[in-house]
Amino acid sequence: QVQLVESGGGSVQAGGSLRLSCVAFGYEPYYMGWFRQAPGKEREGVAVIDSDERTSYAESVKGRFTISKENAKNTLYLQIDSLKPEDTAMYYCAADWFPHGFLPDYKYWGQGTQVTVSS
């Protein structure tokens, strides 16, 4: 069993930065990722990482988002720079033993952390 707990969201102005954190309690999954969901929109994957720390990013966030892991702390991070109003969403951490890429089919999910960007 894995429990994921996110933190680090907040309200920032456009152009600002945030670092989201996700602590994994229990076993460490092989595949982890960050998703986001804006009101009225489907949940979308923005960044994923595997146990070899290979990363992939959605086109809309490339160059602005950085996913990373700190294995000693069982923590997943998402560094978000150059924030835009369209980045406003609830951000979720996801994990699984099997790869799902950007599909929202991960077995474990956190409760989410809200990111709000004002222009």
Side-chain angles (χ1 to χ4, degrees), residues 31-36 42-48 56 58 92-96 98-109:
Y31 301 92
M32 300 187 75
W34 287 98
F35 286 71
R36 67 184 180 185
E42 294 186 352
R43 190 169 296 191
E44 64 168 342
V46 295
V48 296
S56 295
Y92 298 90
C93 173
D96 204 331
F98 303 99
H100 299 290
F102 293 116
L103 296 176
D105 296 333
Y106 290 73
K107 182 174 183 179
Y108 303 103
W109 292 86

Side-chain angles (χ1 to χ4, degrees), residues 8-20 64-65 79-89 91 114-119:
S11 296
V12 297
Q13 289 193 331
S17 296
L18 284 173
R19 189 175 79 157
L20 308 184
R64 300 189 300 118
F65 288 23
Q79 177 68 38
I80 310 175
D81 298 319
S82 303
L83 276 158
K84 303 176 181 180
E86 52 263 43
D87 294 321
T88 295
Y91 283 71
Q114 178 68 38
V115 172
T116 302
V117 185
S118 58
S119 57

Side-chain angles (χ1 to χ4, degrees), residues 5 15 21 23 27-28 30 35 42-43 51 53 66-67 69 71 77 98 104:
V5 180
S21 299
V23 179
Y27 296 102
E28 183 179 353
Y30 296 140
F35 286 71
E42 294 186 352
R43 190 169 296 191
S51 57
E53 301 196 11
T66 305
I67 188 172
K69 291 170 57 179
N71 293 326
Y77 299 103
F98 303 99

Side-chain angles (χ1 to χ4, degrees), residues 44-62:
E44 64 168 342
V46 295
V48 296
I49 190 168
D50 66 16
S51 57
D52 292 324
E53 301 196 11
R54 289 173 295 196
T55 60
S56 295
Y57 297 92
E59 283 298 324
S60 60
V61 307
K62 277 184 180 178

